[in-house]
Amino acid sequence: MRRSAGILLYRFSPHLEVLAAHPGGPFWAKRHEGAWSLIKGEIEDGEDAEHAARREFEEETGIPAPTHLTLIGSIRQKSGKEVLGFAAELDVDPADLGSNLIEIEWPPKSGRTIEIPEIDRFAWFGIDDARIALNPAQREFVERLVELTE
């Protein structure tokens, strides 16, 4: 089973907001609803979930991971992948974040590769907007965060 771990940043500005990441590349370019995600990546063999979340956060944002993380549980996405989520309060400017580059085959099954940013943009969302923008399975992390911060 594939497993990922990620960090859901939040801030109060003045109301609760969460930072989400939009995947890069032509497949996701025009998608919004359900396309956004917490900042996450796959857990490598033998790797601790919190370590994986920190590593992926740094690769995908270009800044150090927050010091204190709170486990907010796991969810199973439609693909079957399990995602372990951590929450951290940190106010960052999305313009200061920059993702690593990856190679993908595009168009699919063409044999050609292109280089794209793994994440093409970051944005803060109020809770109601996050419930629409986030991957449907990951919306549960928002609900857990709301309970945690009340």
Side-chain angles (χ1 to χ4, degrees):
M1 168 185 25
R2 294 178 24 214
R3 297 175 67 220
S4 288
I7 298 173
L8 183 63
L9 288 188
Y10 67 94
R11 70 179 183 184
F12 293 92
S13 183
H15 302 290
L16 180 62
E17 295 180 326
V18 296
L19 185 77
H22 188 272
F27 180 79
W28 296 102
K30 295 182 179 170
R31 296 174 185 226
H32 175 75
E33 187 174 321
W36 294 75
S37 175
L38 73 159
I39 301 160
K40 66 173 181 51
E42 294 215 5
I43 301 170
E44 296 174 359
D45 288 340
E47 186 177 27
D48 171 79
E50 184 173 328
H51 182 268
R54 290 179 182 284
R55 175 181 49 78
E56 287 292 332
F57 183 90
E58 292 179 14
E59 287 176 7
E60 294 182 4
T61 65
I63 64 170
T67 304
H68 178 73
L69 301 180
T70 301
L71 181 65
I72 52 175
S74 68
I75 55 95
R76 188 163 312 281
Q77 296 187 155
K78 189 176 180 181
S79 66
K81 179 190 284 187
E82 179 186 16
V83 180
L84 283 84
F86 296 88
E89 186 173 5
L90 181 66
D91 190 358
V92 297
D93 182 344
D96 293 339
L97 307 178
S99 179
N100 55 316
L101 298 175
I102 59 171
E103 280 192 358
I104 64 165
E105 184 178 20
W106 193 263
K109 300 179 183 174
S110 67
R112 292 184 297 177
T113 60
I114 61 172
E115 191 173 67
I116 62 165
E118 191 167 0
I119 303 299
D120 65 9
R121 62 191 180 275
F122 300 88
W124 287 104
F125 289 93
I127 297 307
D128 290 340
D129 290 335
R131 290 175 174 135
I132 295 166
L134 280 172
N135 171 300
Q138 292 181 27
R139 293 171 188 166
E140 177 62 25
F141 289 134
V142 173
E143 303 311 321
R144 293 175 189 172
L145 179 64
V146 168
E147 289 178 22
L148 182 72
T149 58
E150 285 183 335

